[in-house]
Amino acid sequence: MKYNQLGRSSLQVSQIAFGCMSLQSTQAQPVRVVREALDLGINFFDTADLYEQGKNEILLGRALGQKRQEVIIATKVGNQWNAEGTAWNWNPRKDYIITAIENSLKRLSTDYIDLYQLHGGTIDDPIDEVIEAFEQLKTHGKIRAYGISSIRPNVIREYVSRSNIDSVMMQYSLLDRRPEETCLDLLYQRQVSVITRGSLAKGLLAGKSAQSYLDHSTTVIQNVAATIQKIGSKNQITPALTACQYVLQKPVVASAVVGFRTNEQLRDCTNGNQVPALTTDDYAMLQNSVAPSQYTAHR
């Protein structure tokens, strides 16, 4: 497994990350999947306080057990559940962030978080206040690095210019090439790493039956899936891994977050623990299989 530096931080993250939202507290053997991920070289685990009202953080903390010092844990903040636990509101205020991390630390059974991320955000947020909260937590040793999870170019630009973020998590796949328009180059120039989510496009790039996705028709999805299958077969790797290879081809992308519910899904995306780069011809073939898209809002 290859490991990449996250932004300008000291964190070295595996190029395939475990998206823990796929783990459910009702799942039969979530610990077994996490432990095999560790065996395959995955050291980067992404969760959020929003998932199952914090139960996902508890589950991850228990699954990692004594392996805590060997892994990079990322979690997120900003979505505050109401007292009844029936809905959540957006809350990017400093006082909430400072309070919320204490609950995440307790649930994760740790005294620090490697990467703390704002779970969303708008251009109307008190951005300087958010940055101040993260910087304070970093100074106090509660976090090692911080970033944002956002697909909005206008929000991304503000944090890049006003903060010391090390990462931006964003949706990026062969079927959602919007980040290629402006965001990827900007972040690369500023030494801010990208963490991708949705790189399998809800499973459509990993063998799931075709259905419309974003502005792509079913026919387009089928053609893209066929191209991925062809390249994967030639290279003797799965469609899932081929789809991950596409986003990892960009040097600004440090890690592709994938949700695994079973050990089989995990193996499909890791090829043992080898994730080779695409050849120039294969990459061009994938790009030519679908037209790039652009952001229409929050520009």
Side-chain angles (χ1 to χ4, degrees), residues 161-176:
S161 64
R162 293 157 67 174
S163 76
N164 295 310
I165 59 170
D166 283 301
S167 65
V168 175
M169 177 178 283
M170 62 175 66
Q171 181 168 298
Y172 178 41
S173 73
L174 186 57
L175 289 177
D176 187 358

PDB file of all heavy atoms in Angstrom, residues 161-176:
ATOM      1  N   SER A 161      -7.286  30.397   1.184  1.00  0.00           N
ATOM      2  CA  SER A 161      -6.632  31.697   1.288  1.00  0.00           C
ATOM      3  C   SER A 161      -6.525  32.202   2.725  1.00  0.00           C
ATOM      4  O   SER A 161      -5.642  33.010   3.032  1.00  0.00           O
ATOM      5  CB  SER A 161      -7.380  32.739   0.442  1.00  0.00           C
ATOM      6  OG  SER A 161      -8.699  32.952   0.949  1.00  0.00           O
ATOM      7  N   ARG A 162      -7.397  31.699   3.621  1.00  0.00           N
ATOM      8  CA  ARG A 162      -7.445  32.275   4.972  1.00  0.00           C
ATOM      9  C   ARG A 162      -6.989  31.332   6.084  1.00  0.00           C
ATOM     10  O   ARG A 162      -6.877  31.758   7.244  1.00  0.00           O
ATOM     11  CB  ARG A 162      -8.877  32.740   5.271  1.00  0.00           C
ATOM     12  CG  ARG A 162      -9.304  33.901   4.399  1.00  0.00           C
ATOM     13  CD  ARG A 162     -10.804  34.029   4.253  1.00  0.00           C
ATOM     14  NE  ARG A 162     -11.492  34.391   5.484  1.00  0.00           N
ATOM     15  CZ  ARG A 162     -12.794  34.666   5.554  1.00  0.00           C
ATOM     16  NH1 ARG A 162     -13.540  34.602   4.454  1.00  0.00           N
ATOM     17  NH2 ARG A 162     -13.357  34.994   6.704  1.00  0.00           N
ATOM     18  N   SER A 163      -6.716  30.071   5.768  1.00  0.00           N
ATOM     19  CA  SER A 163      -6.412  29.123   6.837  1.00  0.00           C
ATOM     20  C   SER A 163      -5.194  28.272   6.503  1.00  0.00           C
ATOM     21  O   SER A 163      -4.599  28.390   5.423  1.00  0.00           O
ATOM     22  CB  SER A 163      -7.610  28.207   7.079  1.00  0.00           C
ATOM     23  OG  SER A 163      -7.699  27.219   6.064  1.00  0.00           O
ATOM     24  N   ASN A 164      -4.869  27.386   7.439  1.00  0.00           N
ATOM     25  CA  ASN A 164      -3.777  26.435   7.251  1.00  0.00           C
ATOM     26  C   ASN A 164      -4.315  25.016   7.074  1.00  0.00           C
ATOM     27  O   ASN A 164      -3.721  24.053   7.577  1.00  0.00           O
ATOM     28  CB  ASN A 164      -2.837  26.482   8.455  1.00  0.00           C
ATOM     29  CG  ASN A 164      -2.141  27.813   8.598  1.00  0.00           C
ATOM     30  OD1 ASN A 164      -1.562  28.315   7.639  1.00  0.00           O
ATOM     31  ND2 ASN A 164      -2.209  28.390   9.789  1.00  0.00           N
ATOM     32  N   ILE A 165      -5.420  24.881   6.360  1.00  0.00           N
ATOM     33  CA  ILE A 165      -5.983  23.547   6.162  1.00  0.00           C
ATOM     34  C   ILE A 165      -4.984  22.663   5.418  1.00  0.00           C
ATOM     35  O   ILE A 165      -4.209  23.127   4.584  1.00  0.00           O
ATOM     36  CB  ILE A 165      -7.322  23.575   5.384  1.00  0.00           C
ATOM     37  CG1 ILE A 165      -7.165  24.211   4.003  1.00  0.00           C
ATOM     38  CG2 ILE A 165      -8.404  24.253   6.179  1.00  0.00           C
ATOM     39  CD1 ILE A 165      -8.385  24.044   3.119  1.00  0.00           C
ATOM     40  N   ASP A 166      -5.034  21.376   5.751  1.00  0.00           N
ATOM     41  CA  ASP A 166      -4.180  20.406   5.074  1.00  0.00           C
ATOM     42  C   ASP A 166      -4.943  19.553   4.076  1.00  0.00           C
ATOM     43  O   ASP A 166      -4.321  18.847   3.275  1.00  0.00           O
ATOM     44  CB  ASP A 166      -3.511  19.490   6.105  1.00  0.00           C
ATOM     45  CG  ASP A 166      -2.355  20.190   6.809  1.00  0.00           C
ATOM     46  OD1 ASP A 166      -1.412  20.609   6.122  1.00  0.00           O
ATOM     47  OD2 ASP A 166      -2.402  20.322   8.047  1.00  0.00           O
ATOM     48  N   SER A 167      -6.281  19.602   4.120  1.00  0.00           N
ATOM     49  CA  SER A 167      -7.038  18.730   3.221  1.00  0.00           C
ATOM     50  C   SER A 167      -8.416  19.281   2.924  1.00  0.00           C
ATOM     51  O   SER A 167      -8.987  20.054   3.704  1.00  0.00           O
ATOM     52  CB  SER A 167      -7.187  17.335   3.834  1.00  0.00           C
ATOM     53  OG  SER A 167      -7.963  17.393   5.014  1.00  0.00           O
ATOM     54  N   VAL A 168      -8.931  18.866   1.790  1.00  0.00           N
ATOM     55  CA  VAL A 168     -10.331  19.088   1.423  1.00  0.00           C
ATOM     56  C   VAL A 168     -10.886  17.747   0.970  1.00  0.00           C
ATOM     57  O   VAL A 168     -10.341  17.124   0.055  1.00  0.00           O
ATOM     58  CB  VAL A 168     -10.482  20.121   0.286  1.00  0.00           C
ATOM     59  CG1 VAL A 168     -11.943  20.226  -0.140  1.00  0.00           C
ATOM     60  CG2 VAL A 168      -9.954  21.487   0.715  1.00  0.00           C
ATOM     61  N   MET A 169     -11.937  17.309   1.631  1.00  0.00           N
ATOM     62  CA  MET A 169     -12.635  16.113   1.169  1.00  0.00           C
ATOM     63  C   MET A 169     -13.712  16.552   0.188  1.00  0.00           C
ATOM     64  O   MET A 169     -14.495  17.463   0.482  1.00  0.00           O
ATOM     65  CB  MET A 169     -13.274  15.351   2.340  1.00  0.00           C
ATOM     66  CG  MET A 169     -14.083  14.139   1.896  1.00  0.00           C
ATOM     67  SD  MET A 169     -14.794  13.205   3.280  1.00  0.00           S
ATOM     68  CE  MET A 169     -13.339  12.336   3.840  1.00  0.00           C
ATOM     69  N   MET A 170     -13.747  15.920  -0.959  1.00  0.00           N
ATOM     70  CA  MET A 170     -14.742  16.302  -1.962  1.00  0.00           C
ATOM     71  C   MET A 170     -15.168  15.096  -2.785  1.00  0.00           C
ATOM     72  O   MET A 170     -14.420  14.124  -2.927  1.00  0.00           O
ATOM     73  CB  MET A 170     -14.191  17.386  -2.897  1.00  0.00           C
ATOM     74  CG  MET A 170     -12.980  16.973  -3.696  1.00  0.00           C
ATOM     75  SD  MET A 170     -12.486  18.251  -4.891  1.00  0.00           S
ATOM     76  CE  MET A 170     -11.992  19.568  -3.797  1.00  0.00           C
ATOM     77  N   GLN A 171     -16.373  15.177  -3.313  1.00  0.00           N
ATOM     78  CA  GLN A 171     -16.859  14.132  -4.204  1.00  0.00           C
ATOM     79  C   GLN A 171     -16.110  14.240  -5.522  1.00  0.00           C
ATOM     80  O   GLN A 171     -16.075  15.296  -6.146  1.00  0.00           O
ATOM     81  CB  GLN A 171     -18.354  14.276  -4.429  1.00  0.00           C
ATOM     82  CG  GLN A 171     -18.947  13.207  -5.338  1.00  0.00           C
ATOM     83  CD  GLN A 171     -20.460  13.200  -5.321  1.00  0.00           C
ATOM     84  OE1 GLN A 171     -21.077  12.964  -4.293  1.00  0.00           O
ATOM     85  NE2 GLN A 171     -21.066  13.475  -6.459  1.00  0.00           N
ATOM     86  N   TYR A 172     -15.513  13.124  -5.936  1.00  0.00           N
ATOM     87  CA  TYR A 172     -14.751  13.120  -7.175  1.00  0.00           C
ATOM     88  C   TYR A 172     -14.692  11.700  -7.711  1.00  0.00           C
ATOM     89  O   TYR A 172     -14.350  10.761  -6.992  1.00  0.00           O
ATOM     90  CB  TYR A 172     -13.340  13.651  -6.929  1.00  0.00           C
ATOM     91  CG  TYR A 172     -12.424  13.644  -8.130  1.00  0.00           C
ATOM     92  CD1 TYR A 172     -12.885  14.010  -9.395  1.00  0.00           C
ATOM     93  CD2 TYR A 172     -11.079  13.295  -8.008  1.00  0.00           C
ATOM     94  CE1 TYR A 172     -12.040  14.009 -10.503  1.00  0.00           C
ATOM     95  CE2 TYR A 172     -10.218  13.297  -9.099  1.00  0.00           C
ATOM     96  CZ  TYR A 172     -10.705  13.649 -10.348  1.00  0.00           C
ATOM     97  OH  TYR A 172      -9.866  13.657 -11.450  1.00  0.00           O
ATOM     98  N   SER A 173     -15.060  11.547  -8.962  1.00  0.00           N
ATOM     99  CA  SER A 173     -15.015  10.244  -9.617  1.00  0.00           C
ATOM    100  C   SER A 173     -14.997  10.464 -11.117  1.00  0.00           C
ATOM    101  O   SER A 173     -15.128  11.598 -11.603  1.00  0.00           O
ATOM    102  CB  SER A 173     -16.231   9.391  -9.231  1.00  0.00           C
ATOM    103  OG  SER A 173     -17.410   9.874  -9.872  1.00  0.00           O
ATOM    104  N   LEU A 174     -14.882   9.377 -11.852  1.00  0.00           N
ATOM    105  CA  LEU A 174     -14.944   9.465 -13.309  1.00  0.00           C
ATOM    106  C   LEU A 174     -16.294  10.000 -13.763  1.00  0.00           C
ATOM    107  O   LEU A 174     -16.398  10.627 -14.820  1.00  0.00           O
ATOM    108  CB  LEU A 174     -14.677   8.078 -13.919  1.00  0.00           C
ATOM    109  CG  LEU A 174     -14.554   8.002 -15.441  1.00  0.00           C
ATOM    110  CD1 LEU A 174     -13.454   8.927 -15.956  1.00  0.00           C
ATOM    111  CD2 LEU A 174     -14.270   6.567 -15.866  1.00  0.00           C
ATOM    112  N   LEU A 175     -17.331   9.783 -12.953  1.00  0.00           N
ATOM    113  CA  LEU A 175     -18.665  10.286 -13.294  1.00  0.00           C
ATOM    114  C   LEU A 175     -18.954  11.653 -12.693  1.00  0.00           C
ATOM    115  O   LEU A 175     -20.010  12.226 -12.938  1.00  0.00           O
ATOM    116  CB  LEU A 175     -19.732   9.290 -12.833  1.00  0.00           C
ATOM    117  CG  LEU A 175     -19.798   7.989 -13.618  1.00  0.00           C
ATOM    118  CD1 LEU A 175     -20.838   7.050 -13.010  1.00  0.00           C
ATOM    119  CD2 LEU A 175     -20.123   8.243 -15.091  1.00  0.00           C
ATOM    120  N   ASP A 176     -18.047  12.161 -11.887  1.00  0.00           N
ATOM    121  CA  ASP A 176     -18.193  13.508 -11.329  1.00  0.00           C
ATOM    122  C   ASP A 176     -16.826  14.184 -11.388  1.00  0.00           C
ATOM    123  O   ASP A 176     -16.065  14.200 -10.423  1.00  0.00           O
ATOM    124  CB  ASP A 176     -18.705  13.461  -9.888  1.00  0.00           C
ATOM    125  CG  ASP A 176     -19.013  14.864  -9.356  1.00  0.00           C
ATOM    126  OD1 ASP A 176     -18.780  15.847 -10.095  1.00  0.00           O
ATOM    127  OD2 ASP A 176     -19.478  14.964  -8.209  1.00  0.00           O
TER     128      ASP A 176
END
